[in-house]
């Protein structure tokens, strides 16, 4: 089993980055397949914190990082992040990072569109305002610019002109300042010589790596419930976040994906707007936010907090192709008297085992909870299953039963090694 896909199983920020970092020790390559610098993946290694947005989390271990064609690449943000990593002692060079030539570019105009669209919405989505959604809109609108276009100045000028013709009509219609071609073009041409050395055929590199028996971790951004098809549309991101996105977003064959690991906290958070049936708006939500330090990596926004929605998780497992779970942040629940887990909903007098499709019905659905006993003995920093309090283990086993897939990994703190491995997702025998 040479390849593992890591997918967010809730609304993002489950701890994917730290799980990818842990898996990367056992792999050769880490590849991003979706999203852009709307993501924020945190790694803590020996007390040092690394916050990644566009770069695959494997760069911290010096593994080859790939940014696939499914990623929306803001060239300025990429260079800035490489600079930040270098300041932390992590070298990122064209030998350690390859960016798909066909990845779509995020341009300054996309940030402006993101902000203007949010302003026009009766109910804003609460996007990260990074321009990711509008860049994907241009991609499917077949007017997007790609990384390889940076190497073709004439083509770049033509494509940019077309792009501006499209968007400036809208800006003018709203009474907003249109974008001028020349400064945008010059800006891109100035970035080109710094970006192009990283550009390459990622699909081809992956194919060769597979032939050489090398292992890849595919690092998802965002999560199932933010997926453009499977999330709580329209309060979603604009990419395919689920395991299938690893194939479309890098060029790897779906048949080469060995195991799909879904990452979920043992409670739930959401940043931005949209339905969240198990949200705890009062003191309990605040306690979770404070104990779990639930503030956005990139935007600093407080995350909404609540109980684990295992009904949604069960649904997400099916549609995202998740084989097993990594359960994170169990230490945050240390000292709770009781822990509720949503197992289904009541909607208009009927019991449902999955979320209804319509947003209005989702808002009316009342969670049905199963209560688990809490524990007093701290789990923080525990690194083997037999040292978990019996109640914490019962919670893990209960989640397995409700969701219907095994838990491979449990984490007990932000540090790299605060990790309990029940089963190595690469297929190695039982390790802990
Ligand atoms: P990602 O977007 O899925 O990679 O997750 P983020 O990095 O946005 O958010 C996860 C946050 O939880 C980060 O601040 C991590 O350092 C932290 N974290 C991850 N695992 C654990 C854990 O087991 N316990 C605690 N207390 N914090 C954790
Ligand atoms: P990681 O990879 C949590 C949310 C935004 C907003 C919606 C759309 O760190 O888990 P966008 O800017 O993508 O158009 O915003 O999606 N969102 C995330 N929430 N974690 C993320 O990434 C997110 N990326 C986007 O808050 O609700
Ligand atoms: Mg995050």
């Amino acid at each position: 089993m040479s390849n593992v896909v890591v997918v967010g199983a809730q609304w993002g920020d489950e701890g994917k980055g730290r799980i990818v970092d842990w898996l990367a020790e056992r792999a050769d390559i880490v590849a991003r397949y979706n999203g852009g610098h709307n993501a924020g993946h945190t790694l803590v290694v020996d007390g040092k914190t690394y916050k990644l947005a566009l770069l695959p989390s494997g760069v911290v271990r010096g593994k080859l990082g790939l940014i696939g064609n499914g990623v929306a690449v803001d060239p300025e943000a990429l260079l800035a992040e490489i600079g930040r990593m270098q300041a932390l002692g992590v070298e990122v060079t064209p030998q350690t990072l390859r960016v798909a030539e066909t990845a779509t570019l995020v341009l300054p105009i996309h940030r402006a569109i993101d902000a203007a669209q949010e302003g026009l919405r009766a109910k804003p989505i609460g996007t990260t305002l990074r321009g990711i959604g509008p860049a994907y809109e241009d991609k499917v609108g077949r007017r997007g610019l790609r990384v390889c276009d940076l190497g073709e100045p004439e083509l770049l000028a033509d494509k940019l002109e077309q792009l501006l013709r499209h968007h400036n009509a809208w800006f003018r219609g709203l009474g907003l300042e249109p974008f001028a071609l020349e400064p945008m073009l010059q800006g891109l041409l100035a970035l080109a010589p710094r970006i192009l050395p990283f550009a390459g055929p990622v699909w081809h590199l992956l194919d060769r790596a597979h032939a050489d028996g090398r292992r890849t971790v595919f690092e998802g951004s965002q999560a199932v419930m933010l997926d453009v098809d499977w999330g709580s549309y329209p309060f979603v991101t604009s990419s395919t976040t689920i395991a299938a996105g690893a194939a479309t977003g890098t060029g790897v064959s779906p048949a080469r994906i060995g195991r799909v690991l879904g990452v979920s906290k043992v409670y739930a958070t959401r940043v931005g707007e949209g339905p969240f049936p198990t949200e705890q708006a009062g003191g309990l939500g605040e306690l979770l936010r404070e104990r779990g330090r639930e503030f956005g990596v990139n935007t600093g926004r407080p995350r909404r907090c609540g109980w684990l929605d295992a009904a949604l998780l069960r649904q997400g497992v099916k549609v995202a192709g998740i084989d097993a779970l990594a359960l994170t942040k169990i230490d945050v629940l240390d000292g709770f008297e009781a822990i509720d887990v949503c197992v289904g909903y009541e909607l208009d007098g009927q019991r449902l085992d999955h979320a209804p499709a319509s947003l209005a019905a989702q808002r009316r659905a009342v969670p049905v909870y199963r209560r688990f006993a809490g524990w007093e003995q701290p789990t923080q920093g525990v690194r083997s299953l037999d040292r978990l309090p019996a109640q914490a283990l019962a919670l893990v086993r209960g989640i397995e039963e409700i969701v219907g897939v095994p838990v491979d990994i449990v984490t007990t703190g932000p540090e790299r090694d605060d990790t309990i491995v029940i089963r190595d997702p690469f297929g190695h025998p039982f390790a802990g």
Side-chain angles (χ1 to χ4, degrees):
M1 197 181 287
S2 58
N3 300 314
V4 171
V5 180
V6 173
V7 175
Q10 300 174 295
W11 286 283
D13 305 326
E14 298 90 348
K16 296 176 292 294
R18 65 86 44 89
I19 296 292
V20 168
D21 168 60
W22 188 87
L23 289 169
E25 191 190 3
R26 291 144 183 82
D28 307 288
I29 299 171
V30 177
R32 277 277 303 266
Y33 59 85
N34 78 300
H37 68 306
N38 50 350
H41 297 176
T42 316
L43 278 54
V44 184
V45 185
D46 297 332
K48 200 164 165 182
T49 301
Y50 303 84
K51 295 181 179 188
L52 298 144
L54 247 179
L55 290 173
S57 295
V59 296
V60 174
R61 287 195 189 261
K63 301 289 171 164
L64 177 63
L66 301 179
I67 293 180
N69 55 284
V71 177
V73 178
D74 182 323
E76 277 181 74
L78 179 62
L79 293 172
E81 189 176 340
I82 290 173
R84 284 199 300 277
M85 280 301 122
Q86 268 161 351
L88 288 170
V90 176
E91 280 304 312
V92 181
T93 67
Q95 280 67 51
T96 60
L97 176 72
R98 309 300 292 160
V99 181
E101 304 147 313
T102 50
T104 217
L105 289 178
V106 183
L107 306 173
I109 194 170
H110 293 129
R111 281 198 298 275
I113 298 169
D114 206 345
Q117 285 184 343
E118 279 286 82
L120 285 175
R121 288 183 177 115
K123 288 197 170 76
I125 294 169
T127 75
T128 60
L129 298 175
R130 298 290 194 267
I132 306 300
Y136 280 123
E137 283 180 40
D138 275 348
K139 175 181 173 173
V140 297
R142 293 158 297 180
R143 55 183 170 266
L145 272 57
R146 296 170 141 197
V147 169
C148 56
D149 298 335
L150 293 172
E152 307 282 349
E154 272 180 36
L155 181 89
L156 187 70
D158 284 351
K159 287 185 79 170
L160 201 53
E161 209 254 82
Q162 276 208 36
L163 188 90
L164 290 188
R165 205 179 310 153
H166 177 87
H167 288 303
N168 279 341
W170 186 77
F171 277 108
R172 284 195 199 92
L174 288 172
L176 297 171
E177 192 65 32
F179 272 70
L181 174 67
E182 213 38 45
M184 272 188 84
L185 180 61
Q186 292 311 321
L188 283 175
L189 290 174
L191 291 170
R194 297 172 65 202
I195 293 290
L196 286 169
F198 292 100
V202 160
W203 65 272
H204 199 257
L205 294 173
L206 279 171
D207 189 55
R208 281 215 313 262
H210 186 82
D212 294 345
R214 299 210 286 155
R215 290 168 161 185
T216 303
V217 181
F218 294 90
E219 177 176 11
S221 294
Q222 291 82 49
V224 186
M225 296 308 154
L226 291 172
D227 183 273
V228 68
D229 282 280
W230 297 105
S232 41
Y233 190 90
F235 299 98
V236 294
T237 194
S238 303
S239 66
T240 299
T241 62
I242 61 171
T248 56
T250 66
V252 73
S253 160
R256 288 184 178 167
I257 294 170
R259 196 164 178 88
V260 179
L261 192 60
V263 187
S264 172
K265 297 181 206 194
V266 288
Y267 54 97
T269 65
R270 175 165 201 166
V271 56
E273 298 307 315
F276 183 176
T278 58
E279 181 170 14
Q280 301 295 313
L284 187 63
E286 269 163 42
L287 184 64
L288 285 168
R289 185 174 312 118
E290 187 193 311
R291 301 254 349 241
R293 301 191 182 180
E294 297 295 355
F295 296 89
V297 177
N298 269 327
T299 57
R301 290 183 289 176
R303 296 174 182 148
R304 299 156 63 193
C305 297
W307 292 124
L308 178 67
D309 191 335
L312 265 190
L313 193 54
R314 184 171 55 214
Q315 184 172 339
V317 156
K318 305 272 187 231
V319 300
I322 292 169
D323 298 308
L325 292 174
L327 279 183
T328 59
K329 305 190 90 162
I330 201 162
D331 54 298
V332 172
L333 298 182
D334 285 354
F336 277 62
E337 214 166 276
I339 293 148
D340 286 341
V341 171
C342 170
V343 295
Y345 310 96
E346 287 231 348
L347 178 67
D348 307 333
Q350 283 204 320
R351 178 74 186 258
L352 288 183
D353 68 353
H354 62 276
S358 100
L359 272 188
Q362 278 180 32
R363 291 208 163 94
R364 284 203 313 279
V366 179
V368 176
Y369 288 106
R370 177 161 148 198
R371 180 155 285 189
F372 288 82
W375 52 87
E376 275 172 21
Q377 182 198 336
T379 65
Q380 197 183 0
V382 165
R383 295 178 181 186
S384 71
L385 205 58
D386 56 10
R387 294 199 42 225
L388 274 187
Q391 297 88 338
L393 190 58
L395 177 65
V396 171
R397 296 304 182 207
I399 293 169
E400 284 181 326
E401 184 205 314
I402 299 163
V403 177
V405 289
V407 171
D408 278 2
I409 293 174
V410 177
T411 72
T412 57
E415 265 286 342
R416 176 182 275 180
D417 293 327
D418 291 341
T419 304
I420 302 172
V421 186
I422 300 172
R423 182 189 184 283
D424 184 330
F426 280 114
H428 283 169
F430 185 88

